[in-house]
Amino acid sequence: GQNIDQPTEMTATEGAIVQINCTYQTSGFNGLFWYQQHAGEAPTFLSYNVLDGLEEKGRFSSFLSRSKGYSYLLLKELQMKDSASYLCAVRDKGQNFVFGPGTRLSVLP
Amino acid sequence: DTGVSQNPRHKITKRGQNVTFRCDPISEHNRLYWYRQTLGQGPEFLTYFQNEAQLEKSRLLSDRFSAERPKGSFSTLEIQRTEQGDSAMYLCASSLAGGTYEQYFGPGTRLTVT
């Protein structure tokens, strides 16, 4: 079956670093995506990993280990506007994108 | 604004009625996806088009749901004989074949079935 797990909620302080973990079990693997979704809005693309290792993009980095079925999203220098849900998604052997339930991040002053 | 538009943004309907939603993707994108999202959950895949061909459809999708993409441009999603369990946000996304397959999402249509 298809399964993606993420923590439901996380809280962090403005200026801090937070790591959001994602584990997956899918019927195939053609890439892992992270999306940000503010309340009441559509998801927006953050990052993409298809090979093992770290991809860095400004304050956001994403890591992938295919052998462990594991990824994380690292957010540095947290800002209040980073309060949102973060969705982990896997593109499986077809064109099906399987999304996790999302992690709701609250950034406190 | 990602360039993907959806109409209407909100729809309230009575149980048993039919509803149709429209999605206009980014013009050069040949792939179009429909998802359903309920509160506190991630988007759930419904169906996918490459150009005008519907290539995948979720097994969870009942026969009350149908989608079309005539001429490979805009797409419509129809729900027949709506049920209260159909209440959700319906999201459309588009992408280009090749590359990272990054998806651009529209703002969604929020359906409430009373």
Side-chain angles (χ1 to χ4, degrees):
Chain A
Q2 314 271 60
N3 190 50
I4 297 183
D5 284 321
Q6 303 178 234
T8 304
E9 291 188 31
M10 297 184 72
T11 303
T13 306
E14 197 174 12
I17 299 173
V18 71
Q19 178 175 313
I20 302 174
N21 295 325
C22 169
T23 58
Y24 63 89
Q25 291 175 305
T26 54
S27 57
F29 182 84
N30 278 309
L32 187 140
F33 298 76
W34 284 95
Y35 284 83
Q36 180 190 60
Q37 187 174 27
H38 285 100
E41 297 182 11
T44 55
F45 172 79
L46 288 177
S47 69
Y48 167 73
N49 296 72
V50 67
L51 299 176
D52 290 350
L54 189 68
E55 294 284 340
E56 296 188 80
K57 207 174 180 181
R59 294 190 299 115
F60 293 66
S61 304
S62 56
F63 172 83
L64 174 67
S65 168
R66 288 171 297 171
S67 62
K68 294 181 180 176
Y70 168 70
S71 172
Y72 68 72
L73 179 70
L74 194 71
L75 292 78
K76 303 175 188 173
E77 301 168 15
L78 280 174
Q79 301 175 10
M80 299 295 289
K81 67 178 182 180
D82 297 330
S83 293
S85 284
Y86 291 86
L87 302 164
C88 173
V90 171
R91 186 165 74 93
D92 71 8
K93 61 184 176 182
Q95 286 299 322
N96 187 8
F97 282 77
V98 183
F99 279 81
T103 298
R104 190 162 66 240
L105 174 67
S106 298
V107 180
L108 305 178
Chain B
D1 183 0
T2 62
V4 179
S5 61
Q6 291 186 245
N7 288 288
R9 295 291 306 276
H10 302 273
K11 178 71 177 179
I12 300 173
T13 191
K14 293 186 176 179
R15 190 174 53 192
Q17 297 295 304
N18 299 344
V19 294
T20 300
F21 309 141
R22 176 178 170 127
C23 171
D24 287 88
I26 294 172
S27 58
E28 60 266 29
H29 285 185
N30 56 352
R31 294 190 168 177
L32 187 147
Y33 302 78
W34 284 100
Y35 294 89
R36 177 171 60 193
Q37 187 176 27
T38 53
L39 200 61
Q41 298 298 314
E44 174 191 19
F45 171 80
L46 294 179
T47 190
Y48 147 68
F49 291 84
Q50 179 157 316
N51 299 313
E52 66 274 11
Q54 187 175 20
L55 297 186
E56 283 193 47
K57 191 173 174 181
S58 169
R59 281 169 288 177
L60 302 174
L61 209 60
S62 79
D63 57 6
R64 296 184 298 106
F65 287 71
S66 63
E68 293 183 341
R69 193 184 182 197
K71 303 177 183 177
S73 56
F74 72 92
S75 175
T76 57
L77 177 70
E78 181 183 17
I79 309 174
Q80 296 181 327
R81 304 181 304 280
T82 52
E83 301 172 357
Q84 286 188 319
D86 297 332
S87 294
M89 176 72 85
Y90 289 84
L91 293 166
C92 171
S94 69
S95 73
L96 264 178
T100 66
Y101 297 93
E102 169 187 344
Q103 294 186 342
Y104 293 81
F105 282 84
T109 295
R110 180 166 297 284
L111 173 66
T112 302
V113 182
T114 61

